[in-house]
Amino acid sequence: MTDTEYQTELDSIWRKLRPHLEWARGFTLAVLFSRHPAPVQALKQRLQDLLSINTLPLRHFVLQQPEQLEATLAAILAARPLGDKRPPLWLELRMDGDTQRRAVWQLLARLNERRFLLERDVACPLIVMLPAEFRIDVPSMLPDLWSIRSFTADLPTPEPNPAANYSENVPALASLAASRELSAAELEWRRLWENTTDKQRLSADAAFAALDAAMERMDYVAAGHVVEQMSPVLRQLANKADAPDAVRNLSIILNYAGDIDQTLGRLEEARAAYAENLGLRRQLREALGDSPQALRDLSVSLVKVGDVDQALGRLEEARAAYVESLGLFRQLREVLGDSPQALRDLSVSLNNIGDVDNALGRLEEARAVYAESLGLRRQLREALGDSPQALRDLSISLNKVGAVDEVLGRLEQARAVYAESLGLRRQLRETLGDSPQALRDLSISLNKIGDVDNALGRLEEARAAYVESLGLFRQLREVLGDSPQALRDLSVSLNMIGDVDNALGRLEEARAAYVESLGLFRQLREVLGDSPQALRDLFVSLNNTGAVDQILGRLEEARAAYAESLGLCRQLRETLGDSPQALRDLSISLNKIGAVDETLGRLEEARAVYAESLGLRRQLREALGDSPQALRDLSISLEKIGNVDNALGRLEEARAAYVESLGLFRQLREVLGDSPQALRDLSMSLDNIGNVDNALGRLEEARAAYAESLGLSRQLRGALGDSPQALRDLSISLNNVGMVEQAVGRLPQARGCFKESMELAAKLAAAYPNIPQYANDLAWVSARLRALDSGDQLD
């Protein structure tokens, strides 16, 4: 093979491998076979360069000797995603004789047995480098791992170079890099440690250099060993009087310890190290005063504590750390002025607080800090110009503001900031070309615009945005091939098209999009196996298909889709245990089955599955506390039980379920404020109370519930404008009040309600002639008015 052919083939393999690593959302396996170390080293260097751009590490594992088998396996299984990033793991294996060969097979077999742990916990791409001679045996020896691989390649062999003077004794390796020796810094540290009797005379800088080198190689065992050696020495030195340098050195090594533990997923241990480090940084600030270095060190330490608390779900503690850090970054800005670093540090710190406030449901507070961060990023753009980083940072900040506005029901404001972000991403595409990142960012922005237009009732505009996004995802698939990320993005985009077609009454078109998406998710399952993500994606897609079949009256087909989905959810629960997501998915699937049984008149069967779902949601509330999601899910399950009891004539039982649900919705409103979702949930719950009171002949109680619901519907229209949902909800509320007014003989009030309702229904029917429901609503209220005017009675 000529050098040109070798380079061309290596480039082709890299282009195909790269998307499997960049777009991975979970565990992904790539297996490469090689007869020569050169292509392996070249690919690893390319990957290191790619990761360094994003300040991410390449986690490198080597089985150099048989006795390292257990440690290597443990290190791989201890690896975790780094925040929301999933940098890959790189495993190279040395083949020095039969003993080492047996150790390699044992390691691979142990990994094969732990496929579930790799998928559930490691959840990052794994690249395994093997000698070419393993090619024949791997599929049969490692069936579980082989079945879920996403990429396989035979690396090219370069033309021999006589000048290289290779020895015939060099073993056949997957990569000679697998035998990479300790760095010079690590060797020097080993020499110093072994030859220095008085350990307190050792240089802390030498230990830190060895740590940096070990962590650069992603050898966390070696890094942890240095920490274990030097920590007691530095602790002794720091305990001496007036030793600020020793205190700072101890804080630095504690920081290393925390980083190692966090990277390996040992969050409690990481927090303990970071907390001790934070205490030392406070001590240093008291000793040295508010120098910029002391302030920034303390700020960074607080952020590390906050990050771990947030990962552990301790949101209030995380927020407290972030708030204190923010105060220090503000102080630094006063000292250093508006330097780019000072502005960006402050912007990131504000976003940290916003993310926690958002998670806690404090939406106005979240928006305020996101808005301040956005202002800083606009200032950075003015200072730095339209660099790709400045533009992308600004677009991300705009999306954060838009997301909160969207939840708060400020849809026009949300659309405005999303539109600005979309403009920046179009500009980035022009600058960077059709790179995968540029295309994907643009697609996501288009989807955000589509979501808001959808909520505003601008369904055709929403569809146009979704269609453009879908085109970009199809383009990405052509570029990247059938990588898991490309297939998943395309599937999700098709679901969005299906949702808007569904809302437009184009049910067959919606079903076609859902079915294509379902096919892609089935393809993903074949590629990835029964990974939790693959199963859950398939569950969602089956529910979409079932939902449109349900609307089309194909109830048995809908139930079949829901039943398959339910089976997947039970399988996920067996795999993941009683995790909140597994329990919630199962409860949703049960509710879907119950809804079809309810429509088919199988009320007792419907109630049985609703009751199982309700039990799961009570279990979730006990596990999660009174989180907004837990409260809302429980309320909805109670409503479903109430609906079936109502249909079965068990009116008092129905009312008891509705009353409990109403109390939860009132509690949610206190937590979330007058968000559109909170208001609509409360309004519908009040309607259910009114319906059952009406059936029980308690007309004044029914009227009170309907009237409160009507007030909420008017408030929603004021907040959302004339969206289809807001108009229809108001029309229904007016009908409810009108019917009770008519029943108690207040005919002018009833006529006023029906007349206003008819105007709303006519507006909807004219705007959306393809949606039968709107025409049916208009026909109903028109008949009600005619009967009222003629003195007839209608049921």
Side-chain angles (χ1 to χ4, degrees):
M1 176 178 286
T2 67
D3 185 59
T4 300
E5 291 170 337
Y6 165 75
Q7 289 296 336
T8 300
E9 187 170 346
L10 193 62
D11 289 344
S12 176
I13 290 172
W14 171 244
R15 283 196 304 272
K16 294 174 183 176
L17 171 64
R18 180 174 172 176
H20 294 268
L21 310 178
E22 287 187 305
W23 299 98
R25 292 290 183 88
F27 177 73
T28 300
L29 178 65
V31 185
L32 303 179
F33 299 93
S34 180
R35 298 182 182 278
H36 195 280
V40 180
Q41 185 64 27
L43 285 180
K44 186 167 72 172
Q45 187 60 55
R46 293 190 188 195
L47 184 55
Q48 284 180 319
D49 292 343
L50 175 66
L51 293 172
S52 66
I53 293 173
N54 298 299
T55 64
L56 291 172
L58 173 61
R59 291 176 281 186
H60 178 250
F61 303 94
V62 181
L63 182 62
Q64 293 179 327
Q65 299 173 359
E67 55 268 25
Q68 294 175 336
L69 190 154
E70 293 295 339
T72 303
L73 177 66
I76 294 170
L77 295 177
R80 296 292 183 271
L82 305 181
D84 61 347
K85 305 295 184 184
R86 299 178 187 271
L89 318 178
W90 181 280
L91 173 61
E92 297 181 45
L93 303 168
R94 173 184 278 277
M95 296 291 121
D96 284 339
D98 291 340
T99 303
Q100 178 70 8
R101 176 182 292 276
R102 284 194 295 272
V104 168
W105 274 121
Q106 289 173 18
L107 175 61
L108 292 173
R110 300 279 290 280
L111 289 172
N112 186 69
E113 294 167 358
R114 288 156 176 78
R115 168 183 155 182
F116 165 65
L117 296 178
L118 291 168
E119 291 176 330
R120 187 191 70 180
D121 299 334
V122 177
C124 293
L126 172 63
I127 306 165
V128 179
M129 310 300 309
L130 289 170
E133 64 195 78
F134 273 49
R135 191 69 156 93
I136 296 174
D137 296 327
V138 165
S140 59
M141 296 291 288
L142 309 172
D144 288 345
L145 283 179
W146 189 255
S147 68
I148 63 169
R149 73 198 187 285
S150 66
F151 184 78
T152 307
D154 297 293
L155 301 186
T157 301
E159 186 175 7
N161 180 2
N165 192 24
Y166 291 114
S167 168
E168 292 181 359
N169 296 323
V170 173
L173 303 179
S175 169
L176 289 179
S179 64
R180 188 169 84 177
E181 297 179 354
L182 297 178
S183 67
E186 291 171 275
L187 290 172
E188 175 62 11
W189 170 252
R190 176 181 291 180
R191 186 190 67 79
L192 290 171
W193 181 262
E194 292 174 352
N195 295 307
T196 305
T197 303
D198 183 1
K199 304 301 185 188
Q200 292 190 10
R201 300 188 61 179
L202 286 166
S203 165
D205 289 338
F208 300 153
L211 272 167
D212 287 336
M215 294 185 74
E216 183 181 349
R217 294 190 301 109
M218 304 314 301
D219 189 342
Y220 295 111
V221 174
H225 188 52
V226 177
V227 169
E228 290 172 3
Q229 288 174 327
M230 198 59 179
S231 291
V233 177
L234 292 177
R235 198 177 296 281
Q236 290 175 355
L237 290 169
N239 287 333
K240 295 181 178 180
D242 193 24
D245 289 342
V247 171
R248 190 168 194 278
N249 286 336
L250 177 58
S251 79
I252 291 170
I253 208 160
L254 286 165
N255 213 34
Y256 279 113
D259 290 346
I260 293 167
D261 283 331
Q262 188 174 17
T263 301
L264 295 175
R266 301 192 292 243
L267 296 183
E268 291 290 355
E269 293 89 334
R271 196 193 187 282
Y274 288 148
E276 185 178 356
N277 170 46
L278 177 61
L280 295 174
R281 295 279 166 95
R282 293 192 191 283
Q283 183 179 335
L284 283 168
R285 185 188 182 188
E286 291 179 5
L288 303 175
D290 283 353
S291 68
Q293 185 65 58
L295 291 178
R296 195 168 194 283
D297 283 348
L298 182 54
S299 301
V300 171
S301 285
L302 285 160
V303 169
K304 286 182 177 289
V305 170
D307 289 345
V308 176
D309 278 337
Q310 189 173 5
L312 288 166
R314 302 167 182 164
L315 298 183
E316 292 291 355
E317 293 88 334
R319 192 182 192 280
Y322 289 149
V323 166
E324 184 179 354
S325 175
L326 176 64
L328 296 171
F329 280 128
R330 291 195 191 281
Q331 189 173 344
L332 271 170
R333 184 187 183 187
E334 292 176 4
V335 173
L336 301 176
D338 283 353
S339 68
Q341 185 65 59
L343 292 179
R344 195 168 192 280
D345 283 344
L346 186 54
S347 171
V348 171
S349 190
L350 287 160
N351 283 344
N352 286 336
I353 293 177
D355 291 343
V356 174
D357 280 339
N358 199 356
L360 287 167
R362 302 169 183 165
L363 300 181
E364 292 291 354
E365 294 88 333
R367 195 192 186 283
V369 291
Y370 284 152
E372 184 180 353
S373 174
L374 176 61
L376 295 171
R377 293 194 171 180
R378 292 194 191 283
Q379 188 174 343
L380 274 167
R381 183 189 183 186
E382 291 177 6
L384 301 175
D386 282 357
S387 68
Q389 186 65 59
L391 292 180
R392 192 167 190 273
D393 280 350
L394 181 54
S395 74
I396 290 170
S397 211
L398 286 161
N399 285 345
K400 286 183 179 288
V401 171
V404 177
D405 279 338
E406 191 176 354
V407 175
L408 287 168
R410 302 167 185 163
L411 299 182
E412 292 292 353
Q413 295 94 310
R415 196 186 190 284
V417 292
Y418 284 154
E420 183 180 354
S421 175
L422 176 62
L424 295 172
R425 292 190 169 182
R426 291 196 191 281
Q427 185 176 343
L428 277 167
R429 185 189 184 186
E430 291 177 6
T431 301
L432 302 175
D434 282 356
S435 68
Q437 185 68 62
L439 290 178
R440 193 167 189 274
D441 281 348
L442 181 54
S443 300
I444 291 170
S445 267
L446 285 162
N447 285 342
K448 289 183 179 293
I449 290 283
D451 289 343
V452 176
D453 279 339
N454 197 355
L456 286 167
R458 302 169 185 164
L459 300 184
E460 293 292 352
E461 292 89 332
R463 194 179 193 282
Y466 290 150
V467 166
E468 183 180 354
S469 175
L470 178 64
L472 295 172
F473 281 128
R474 291 198 191 278
Q475 183 177 344
L476 273 168
R477 186 188 185 186
E478 291 176 7
V479 172
L480 302 176
D482 282 355
S483 69
Q485 186 65 59
L487 290 178
R488 190 173 190 277
D489 283 342
L490 184 55
S491 301
V492 171
S493 194
L494 284 161
N495 279 338
M496 290 180 171
I497 295 281
D499 290 344
V500 77
D501 277 339
N502 194 355
L504 285 165
R506 302 169 183 164
L507 299 183
E508 292 295 348
E509 293 89 331
R511 193 179 192 282
Y514 288 148
V515 167
E516 182 182 356
S517 173
L518 178 60
L520 293 171
F521 280 129
R522 291 197 190 280
Q523 184 177 344
L524 270 170
R525 186 187 185 184
E526 291 177 6
V527 173
L528 301 175
D530 283 356
S531 68
Q533 185 65 62
L535 292 179
R536 191 170 190 280
D537 284 341
L538 189 54
F539 141 76
V540 172
S541 198
L542 284 162
N543 283 347
N544 286 335
T545 304
V548 76
D549 277 337
Q550 190 174 353
I551 295 170
L552 287 165
R554 302 168 183 165
L555 297 182
E556 292 299 343
E557 292 90 330
R559 199 181 192 285
Y562 291 150
E564 183 181 354
S565 171
L566 178 61
L568 296 173
C569 288
R570 294 199 188 280
Q571 184 177 344
L572 275 166
R573 187 185 186 185
E574 290 178 7
T575 301
L576 301 175
D578 281 357
S579 68
Q581 187 67 63
L583 292 180
R584 188 171 190 271
D585 285 346
L586 181 55
S587 74
I588 289 171
S589 209
L590 287 161
N591 285 345
K592 297 280 186 185
I593 293 279
V596 176
D597 282 340
E598 191 176 353
T599 304
L600 288 168
R602 304 168 183 164
L603 297 183
E604 292 293 351
E605 293 90 331
R607 196 185 191 285
V609 292
Y610 285 154
E612 183 181 353
S613 174
L614 177 62
L616 294 172
R617 294 189 169 182
R618 292 199 189 279
Q619 184 177 343
L620 276 167
R621 187 187 184 187
E622 290 178 8
L624 302 175
D626 282 355
S627 69
Q629 185 70 67
L631 290 179
R632 188 171 190 271
D633 283 347
L634 181 55
S635 300
I636 290 170
S637 268
L638 286 161
E639 300 277 321
K640 289 182 179 295
I641 291 282
N643 291 342
V644 176
D645 280 339
N646 196 357
L648 288 167
R650 304 168 183 164
L651 299 184
E652 292 294 350
E653 292 91 331
R655 194 178 193 282
Y658 290 150
V659 166
E660 183 181 354
S661 174
L662 178 64
L664 296 172
F665 280 130
R666 292 198 190 280
Q667 185 176 343
L668 270 170
R669 187 186 185 186
E670 291 177 5
V671 172
L672 300 176
D674 283 354
S675 69
Q677 186 68 65
L679 293 179
R680 189 169 190 270
D681 284 342
L682 185 55
S683 172
M684 294 177 70
S685 190
L686 286 160
D687 284 343
N688 285 330
I689 295 278
N691 291 340
V692 76
D693 278 339
N694 195 3
L696 287 166
R698 304 168 181 165
L699 298 184
E700 289 299 338
E701 291 91 331
R703 187 188 183 284
Y706 286 149
E708 184 180 354
S709 174
L710 176 60
L712 295 171
S713 295
R714 293 195 188 281
Q715 186 176 345
L716 271 168
R717 185 188 184 187
L720 300 176
D722 284 353
S723 70
Q725 188 70 68
L727 292 181
R728 188 166 190 268
D729 284 348
L730 181 54
S731 174
I732 291 170
S733 277
L734 286 161
N735 289 339
N736 287 335
V737 174
M739 285 190 294
V740 176
E741 296 286 22
Q742 185 178 4
V744 298
R746 300 171 185 155
L747 301 187
Q749 292 90 332
R751 184 176 291 103
C753 288
F754 291 139
K755 185 177 180 181
E756 185 181 354
S757 175
M758 188 173 72
E759 291 170 356
L760 298 172
K763 188 172 184 178
L764 283 169
Y768 303 98
N770 293 326
I771 301 180
Q773 184 63 62
Y774 296 152
N776 294 339
D777 289 346
L778 179 58
W780 185 93
V781 73
S782 299
R784 179 65 60 175
L785 261 178
R786 286 194 301 272
L788 185 63
D789 289 337
S790 64
D792 294 336
Q793 293 295 321
L794 288 177
D795 293 333

